[in-house]
Amino acid sequence: MSERLYHSSGVELSVAQGELRVAGRPGFDNARALAEAGAAWLARHSNSGVVLDVTATESVNSGILCVLLEWLREARRHQVMVQQVKLPERLKELVRVSGLAPVFDAAPSLAS
């Protein structure tokens, strides 16, 4: 069963079976709300595991990278193990050219 954590302007954040999933066209206009909704969920699930999945995003921009970085920071803060970060190919390229690959490489996988 999926729980909706955020929905606005065609962007949705949901969680199912320990997987935070973003779908739609996230951007800077909703990055803060997405980050906060995901961070609140992470704070309630200390000492557990999570998969961060943004493969259903329809656009690539640095706004979603900011959201993921915030979630990685909050996961570490609340001792939530990030088991996997799922990125679409176009976002993997942005991670690489932005110099953030080492940060994301700390998570076990950048599987698509």
Side-chain angles (χ1 to χ4, degrees), residues 28-39:
F28 286 105
D29 55 333
N30 49 30
R32 183 180 183 129
L34 277 173
E36 289 174 353

Side-chain angles (χ1 to χ4, degrees), residues 4 14 24-25 42 46-47 60 62 65 84 89 91 97 100:
R4 185 186 289 180
S14 61
R25 294 183 170 269
L42 290 165
S46 292
N47 300 309
V60 172
S62 55
L65 284 181
Q84 188 175 32
E89 286 302 319
L91 192 52
V97 300
L100 291 171

Side-chain angles (χ1 to χ4, degrees), residues 24-90:
R25 294 183 170 269
F28 286 105
D29 55 333
N30 49 30
R32 183 180 183 129
L34 277 173
E36 289 174 353
W41 185 88
L42 290 165
R44 293 190 310 271
H45 292 83
S46 292
N47 300 309
S48 65
V50 68
V51 172
L52 306 178
D53 183 354
V54 296
T55 56
T57 56
E58 300 168 15
S59 61
V60 172
N61 58 58
S62 55
I64 193 65
L65 284 181
C66 292
V67 170
L68 288 168
L69 290 170
E70 180 63 19
W71 289 350
L72 290 171
R73 184 175 24 255
E74 287 298 308
R76 187 173 348 124
R77 180 174 165 225
H78 295 289
Q79 299 177 337
V80 175
M81 182 181 146
V82 177
Q83 298 166 325
Q84 188 175 32
V85 179
K86 296 181 181 180
L87 303 176
E89 286 302 319
R90 61 196 185 279

Side-chain angles (χ1 to χ4, degrees), residues 3-14 23-24 30 33-34 37:
E3 175 187 357
R4 185 186 289 180
L5 302 176
Y6 173 84
H7 180 75
S8 179
S9 304
V11 176
E12 183 171 309
L13 171 63
S14 61
N30 49 30
L34 277 173

